[in-house]
Amino acid sequence: MTALRDLMPCFQGVVPAAIATCDSAGVPNVAYVSQVYYLDDGHVALSCQFFNKTRRNIDQNPYACVKVMHPVTLDAWRLDVKFVRAESSGPLFDEMELRIQAIAAHTGMKGIFRLLSSDIYEVLDVQHVPGYLLPGSSDAPRLEMGDTRAELRGLQVLSDRVSRTDDLAGLLKTLLHSLCELFRVQHAMFLMHDESDARLYAVESAGYETSGAGAEVGVGEGLIGTVAKTRRPLRVSGMGEMLRYGRAVRHEMQAEGAQLCEEIPLPGLCDAQSQLALPLVVGERLIGVLALESADPLAFQDWHEAYLNLLANQAALAIERLAERADEEPLPEPERPPLAARRRTFTWYEKDEVVFCDGEYLVRNVPGRIFWKLLKVHSQTGRTEFGNRELRMDDSLGLPAYKDNLESRLILLRKRLAERCPDVRLVPVRRGRFMLERDCELELEAR
Amino acid sequence: MIDGELKEFLQTGHVCVIATRDKKLRPDWGHAAGVRVLKSRCVVFVAPDSSNRSLANLRANGLIAVVVTEPLTHRSIQLKGERAKLRDLTPAEHKLAKRLAQSARQAVIEVGIAPRVAATWNFDALVAVEFELTGVFEATPGPKAGTEVA
């Protein structure tokens, strides 16, 4: 008998599993299962979203036969199983439900498409299916963890780098670029939680063609928003399959007249096949979400989740520490060289709280209000150095009185400027102080 | 019993799994290349090497369920049948089964399986399992799964 633990790649949801059952009269039935969850070497749990024929059969006759397939080789195994019990609460249910919630949130079926129960089955026998593939096809390769010592070393190096960084922008850049360098992550993004409007906004990224700074996700929306809401890590392999399944259910529910929301586009890679999203939490407070993506459906394994969750906890503490540091005192204004003849027009739309640069969207909400204030003060007084403290004291900016994420908002603003208007820069000079530098004339208009 | 679009869907060549059970009501699954729809009967082309147990069950009790699924959309239809008989494929069925198997491989390539991997699915030396239809059911995941469609 094959050991269940050797079939871990088959439990990643990349290739759907099938379950054969029969009722007490002996009529067979076969259906696909969205999730087969490895519990231990003698048990699996299957997700139950609908009280369907499979479930009714199991109530009459507890025996079933599950087909699982290796996602890389397509080789198959036969699991003879016997129903033990259904759980509709507890840690197992919560973990399986998280994935269903993510599908539901992403495909606009939040609260409608949900896990009814985690059905636990005793595994009576596991048999490789001979002849499923043509003779000479390669045996299923085991997905090894790799050199654990190398991964541990990588974790230590990354942890050291995070500890040593003394500014938030540097910390986020170090965190994401080290993930790519040390853990072979291809695409990583950090989204800061804005408690004032229950949204997450992308502040830093690595591995993407554009930074994506300013991209927003509501708490509870899509995969990242689900992680933010539940504060639990979520690893999705075979995202394409998961979303196809979700869309099939959505189509069926719409045909039944269900009122559904729009599908939430994934931030980041348009062809992401796997995603690992980790919440950064300090105490009860959500700092943000670290989202890793890959076009490889099997990019993230169990160990990634375990290792990187440790790192996420450390990063959360570091972000909190850096965001709370006291600002330094201002220096005298330096002499400014004459500007080039270029001119930039910044427009403030009061109603929408958005700043446009030369007719194109630049930034909005709190970072928009901050930027507009800086531009106004600079153009009226010529002042170039600003401090975080004065921004915190300005009620008109709408920063929360406590835990305002000001640093991360400034990082976002800097990134948007670097991408959309490199002639104007906010350059950190000392702790809590920065200069507004420009290589152009400014024209300001408010509408 | 089955005609029009439904017949076309079933005979297009999607992924096909069968279910059977033994005398102790222990279920089993088997792998198939596809389905041929007759008037009140169907034929499913089963891969014998990977479906020994199911073929033995069919010889013993003739009860079968067949699900045909389009992987890209998850649209699925389930056929239920009885009095299943095993036989060789006719020359025309050989041609049809070859086309269905190729189409099934193409269907999994569409959802990201490498063509060289899809090509290793063993549909050589298929067995024809002809059965009397007792029901046709919606099997697409969702609230309608399990409702009778024909």
Side-chain angles (χ1 to χ4, degrees):
Chain A
M1 173 167 149
T2 310
L4 262 189
R5 64 178 169 277
D6 291 339
L7 303 184
M8 291 303 274
C10 305
F11 302 133
Q12 306 236 6
V14 180
V15 180
I19 181 168
T21 57
C22 77
D23 62 19
S24 55
V27 178
N29 189 78
V30 58
Y32 285 97
V33 187
S34 71
Q35 215 184 143
V36 179
Y37 189 92
Y38 170 86
L39 280 180
D40 57 44
D41 248 5
H43 297 86
V44 291
L46 273 54
S47 56
C48 174
Q49 288 93 248
F50 301 99
F51 192 73
N52 55 19
K53 182 68 177 159
T54 296
R55 188 54 193 277
R56 290 195 294 274
N57 282 359
I58 287 297
D59 286 344
Q60 296 175 21
N61 169 25
Y63 293 97
C65 186
V66 177
K67 174 190 186 185
V68 295
M69 291 166 74
H70 193 284
V72 176
T73 66
L74 282 193
D75 213 350
W77 283 262
R78 199 171 251 123
L79 276 56
D80 289 314
V81 298
K82 184 182 180 188
F83 179 72
V84 179
R85 65 177 182 279
E87 292 187 359
S88 52
S89 63
L92 171 67
F93 178 83
D94 290 346
E95 190 157 345
M96 291 180 76
E97 191 195 24
L98 184 60
R99 188 182 159 95
I100 302 289
Q101 271 183 33
I103 301 174
H106 188 87
T107 50
M109 296 188 291
K110 200 158 59 176
I112 298 170
F113 178 53
R114 59 197 177 85
L115 186 67
L116 290 181
S117 61
S118 305
D119 295 350
I120 298 174
Y121 289 81
E122 180 188 357
V123 179
L124 306 171
D125 195 15
V126 183
Q127 294 295 334
H128 175 244
V129 179
Y132 191 80
L133 301 181
L134 289 168
S137 307
S138 63
D139 288 336
R142 287 179 58 173
L143 296 178
E144 301 290 350
M145 181 170 164
D147 184 346
T148 31
R149 283 174 301 180
E151 309 298 0
L152 265 176
R153 177 74 185 142
L155 186 65
Q156 186 204 358
V157 170
L158 214 169
S159 173
D160 284 349
R161 287 180 187 171
V162 166
S163 298
R164 285 199 204 105
T165 315
D166 64 356
D167 70 283
L168 189 57
L171 170 76
L172 296 177
K173 195 177 276 292
T174 299
L175 176 66
L176 299 189
H177 287 268
S178 298
L179 280 169
C180 294
E181 175 197 343
L182 300 168
F183 287 91
R184 297 184 293 279
V185 168
Q186 293 164 317
H187 308 278
M189 186 192 301
F190 177 74
L191 298 99
M192 186 66 92
H193 179 215
D194 189 336
E195 285 155 303
S196 60
D197 62 357
R199 295 187 76 74
L200 298 131
Y201 51 95
V203 174
E204 182 66 67
S205 67
Y208 295 97
E209 281 184 21
T210 57
S211 82
E216 293 182 31
V217 181
V219 171
E221 287 177 1
L223 304 181
I224 291 168
T226 301
V227 167
K229 187 178 175 190
T230 59
R231 295 172 190 201
R232 293 207 306 268
L234 176 63
R235 177 168 54 95
V236 179
S237 303
M239 195 124 78
E241 170 53 31
M242 183 188 92
L243 294 180
R244 276 192 296 278
Y245 183 90
R247 285 168 190 148
V249 175
R250 179 186 167 90
H251 183 264
E252 293 297 296
M253 284 186 157
Q254 273 180 321
E256 291 283 282
Q259 295 295 311
L260 305 174
C261 308
E262 289 298 305
E263 188 164 322
I264 309 292
L266 284 172
L269 280 187
C270 60
D271 60 346
Q273 284 298 307
S274 52
Q275 194 170 45
L276 174 59
L278 301 156
L280 273 65
V281 178
V282 175
E284 291 299 305
R285 183 168 174 249
L286 177 74
I287 304 290
V289 172
L290 179 61
L292 314 178
E293 291 186 304
S294 174
D296 174 358
L298 291 168
F300 305 117
Q301 309 292 318
D302 278 343
W303 69 267
H304 281 102
E305 190 174 325
Y307 274 46
L308 299 182
N309 210 28
L310 288 174
L311 189 72
N313 291 337
Q314 188 188 359
L317 286 168
I319 291 169
E320 171 114 323
R321 171 175 60 85
L322 292 175
E324 287 186 348
R325 287 187 321 173
D327 305 342
E328 292 181 6
E329 292 304 312
L331 289 177
E333 287 288 320
E335 292 289 319
R336 304 291 304 166
L339 295 172
R342 198 162 18 182
R343 172 178 290 273
R344 291 282 200 177
T345 303
F346 292 95
T347 311
W348 169 245
Y349 292 91
E350 178 76 38
K351 193 176 161 208
D352 298 318
E353 300 197 315
V354 58
V355 180
F356 274 57
C357 174
D358 293 338
E360 288 192 11
Y361 169 74
L362 179 66
V363 70
R364 68 191 181 98
N365 289 343
V366 177
R369 290 199 290 269
I370 292 171
F371 187 51
W372 185 246
K373 173 194 165 89
L374 299 175
L375 288 176
K376 274 199 308 185
V377 172
H378 175 70
S379 66
Q380 285 163 6
T381 68
R383 184 148 74 91
T384 57
E385 187 178 332
F386 296 87
N388 290 359
R389 193 184 309 155
E390 65 186 288
L391 298 179
R392 290 194 165 103
M393 301 295 285
D394 186 342
D395 291 340
S396 72
L397 297 179
L399 283 163
Y402 177 66
K403 310 283 187 191
D404 56 26
N405 285 337
L406 177 59
E407 273 296 341
S408 62
R409 296 176 207 273
L410 289 172
I411 293 169
L412 167 62
L413 183 50
R414 282 183 196 116
K415 285 200 166 290
R416 292 294 299 169
L417 285 170
E419 285 175 8
R420 304 286 162 166
C421 179
D423 299 330
V424 178
R425 296 172 296 279
L426 301 178
V427 181
V429 284
R430 285 164 305 116
R431 192 191 309 160
R433 311 286 312 170
F434 59 90
M435 303 282 289
L436 191 156
E437 292 183 357
R438 61 184 172 101
D439 302 326
C440 61
E441 294 291 349
L442 301 180
E443 186 175 328
L444 308 186
E445 56 184 28
R447 292 186 185 176
Chain B
M1 197 167 182
I2 299 173
D3 52 19
E5 195 274 337
L6 186 57
K7 181 174 177 178
E8 193 182 322
F9 173 79
L10 289 168
Q11 295 196 150
T12 293
H14 300 303
V15 173
C16 187
V17 184
I18 67 164
T20 64
R21 55 89 176 170
D22 66 11
K23 63 181 177 187
K24 292 181 179 169
L25 302 190
R26 301 291 180 95
D28 185 52
W29 61 263
H31 194 205
V35 168
R36 178 186 172 206
V37 178
L38 305 171
K39 274 190 178 167
S40 60
R41 304 173 69 79
C42 279
V43 184
V44 59
F45 305 114
V46 177
D49 291 349
S50 53
S51 312
N52 276 333
R53 274 194 343 194
S54 271
L55 291 177
N57 292 342
L58 289 169
R59 285 189 194 95
N61 60 52
L63 291 169
I64 189 167
V66 181
V67 73
V68 176
T69 300
E70 182 180 30
L72 196 61
T73 62
H74 274 277
R75 183 185 174 192
S76 303
I77 294 290
Q78 179 145 192
L79 310 174
K80 295 284 178 89
E82 60 186 13
R83 299 193 179 90
K85 299 278 185 245
L86 280 58
R87 59 169 174 77
D88 291 336
L89 281 70
T90 65
E93 284 175 338
H94 269 295
K95 275 175 103 173
L96 172 63
K98 194 173 174 186
R99 178 178 68 75
L100 291 172
Q102 199 47 40
S103 182
R105 290 189 181 104
Q106 196 56 45
V108 294
I109 292 169
E110 277 180 20
V111 293
I113 300 293
R116 63 178 170 73
V117 175
T120 64
W121 255 358
N122 186 359
F123 291 126
D124 286 356
L126 296 166
V127 171
V129 175
E130 187 167 336
F131 58 93
E132 291 179 15
L133 263 180
T134 55
V136 183
F137 298 90
E138 178 60 59
T140 309
K144 281 195 297 183
T147 54
E148 197 149 14
V149 292

